[in-house]
Amino acid sequence: MAEKVDRRIRKTKAQLRRGLARLMQEKSINEITVKELVDEVDINRSTFYLHYTDIYQMLQKIEEEVMEEIVQVMEVCPIDHSDRDSVINFIARFFSILDSNKELFLAFLGPKGDMAFVEKVENLLAARILAPVPADSLNSGTDAAHAYAFVLNGCVGMIRSWLSSPAQETPEHMAKLTYSLIHDIFQKYMGKVYPALTKQETARQEPGHSQKELLGCQTDLPGSSGRKADIR
């Protein structure tokens, strides 16, 4: 019985989460009301208040859950910056999270989205992925500092483009593309930061391979099974 209740709660929260993501692509969080959200997903207001106090608290909970997923990836797939496969595995897992929460991240990255949250994610990932960048190379006004900013903002733009694309590439392909772009830019402006990819490794990822085969790290996180994960 408890399992059925839990399943029902997860289903209701998933409906609300998807509904909020759709609304956030059209208007800012300040303009969205509880009534509008429950009408969007066809549930009662009382059901909403069983889980959240208001729209703002709901968004905060969602953002906390997403950050928790990212932190879990960091723990499951730690990065060895001297090993390109290690870095690519981590980036691919992050793209899997984006893929599993596509509508939500499109909302966050949209003109009405929560860019403060996007910046938090950006800083968290930069601290992990871009850790080898020498701090003294990022002095304000230097080419290296501008290149670093270009990489961060370019990654956000690439994610938005990828999520919006009807012919979406695999997370593994995007991870290799991201790695290759970061490597080439940093190689030019900061010296060797990451090992280069071979031509074979930069080739387009062929379909039909599971993420477990490609990534070589644990696959028990949302979005890691090669299919859409349930949105909690």
Side-chain angles (χ1 to χ4, degrees):
M1 182 63 181
E3 184 179 346
K4 288 185 178 179
V5 173
D6 289 343
R7 191 182 305 122
R8 197 177 304 125
I9 290 173
R10 288 197 300 272
K11 182 179 178 181
T12 299
K13 286 187 173 182
Q15 285 179 278
L16 289 167
R17 187 166 173 169
R18 286 191 294 266
L20 183 63
R22 289 194 296 270
L23 292 174
M24 284 180 65
Q25 293 183 47
E26 301 172 1
K27 55 181 64 179
S28 70
I29 193 68
N30 297 328
E31 301 173 298
I32 300 173
T33 65
V34 172
K35 182 180 185 307
E36 189 174 17
L37 176 57
V38 297
D39 287 347
E40 173 74 18
V41 298
D42 195 25
I43 66 172
N44 298 322
R45 286 172 64 98
S46 58
T47 302
F48 173 90
Y49 288 115
L50 284 175
H51 307 293
Y52 307 107
T53 58
D54 55 35
I55 293 291
Y56 302 104
Q57 194 251 357
M58 177 184 173
L59 180 61
Q60 180 182 354
K61 289 292 186 184
I62 290 172
E63 291 178 348
E64 288 173 355
E65 290 169 2
V66 172
M67 290 296 285
E68 184 180 345
E69 287 184 31
I70 297 172
V71 170
Q72 281 183 301
V73 168
M74 291 180 171
E75 294 174 351
V76 172
C77 290
I79 295 179
D80 174 1
H81 292 96
S82 64
D83 177 8
R84 58 178 173 260
D85 290 338
S86 171
V87 182
I88 292 171
N89 288 344
F90 175 83
I91 299 173
R93 294 301 297 275
F94 174 66
F95 271 99
S96 291
I97 292 176
L98 295 175
D99 189 34
S100 298
N101 297 278
K102 182 175 180 177
E103 285 187 326
L104 189 61
F105 273 98
L106 279 173
F108 285 148
L109 293 167
K112 305 290 186 179
D114 186 356
M115 289 309 295
F117 174 71
V118 173
E119 187 174 351
K120 287 181 184 178
V121 174
E122 183 182 280
N123 291 337
L124 184 66
L125 293 172
R128 186 59 61 96
I129 297 174
L130 307 181
V133 176
D136 58 1
S137 70
L138 299 180
N139 293 327
S140 179
T142 64
D143 286 351
H146 296 319
Y148 184 87
F150 179 83
V151 166
L152 287 180
N153 289 282
C155 285
V156 171
M158 183 170 62
I159 288 169
R160 184 187 293 112
S161 174
W162 178 66
L163 291 175
S164 303
S165 174
Q168 192 170 301
E169 300 286 355
T170 65
E172 298 76 33
H173 174 86
M174 295 306 297
K176 289 183 178 180
L177 176 61
T178 301
Y179 183 96
S180 179
L181 292 171
I182 291 174
H183 170 272
D184 291 350
I185 292 172
F186 284 2
Q187 180 78 17
K188 181 173 182 178
Y189 292 100
M190 302 175 194
K192 185 175 180 181
V193 174
Y194 289 124
L197 291 176
T198 65
K199 288 184 179 180
Q200 181 179 2
E201 288 169 324
T202 55
R204 179 178 297 273
Q205 178 61 54
E206 295 295 333
H209 298 285
S210 71
Q211 290 186 9
K212 184 174 183 180
E213 293 171 329
L214 293 165
L215 304 185
C217 62
Q218 295 181 39
T219 56
D220 56 348
L221 294 180
S224 62
S225 61
R227 60 179 176 81
K228 298 288 186 181
D230 293 334
I231 300 179
R232 294 193 298 272

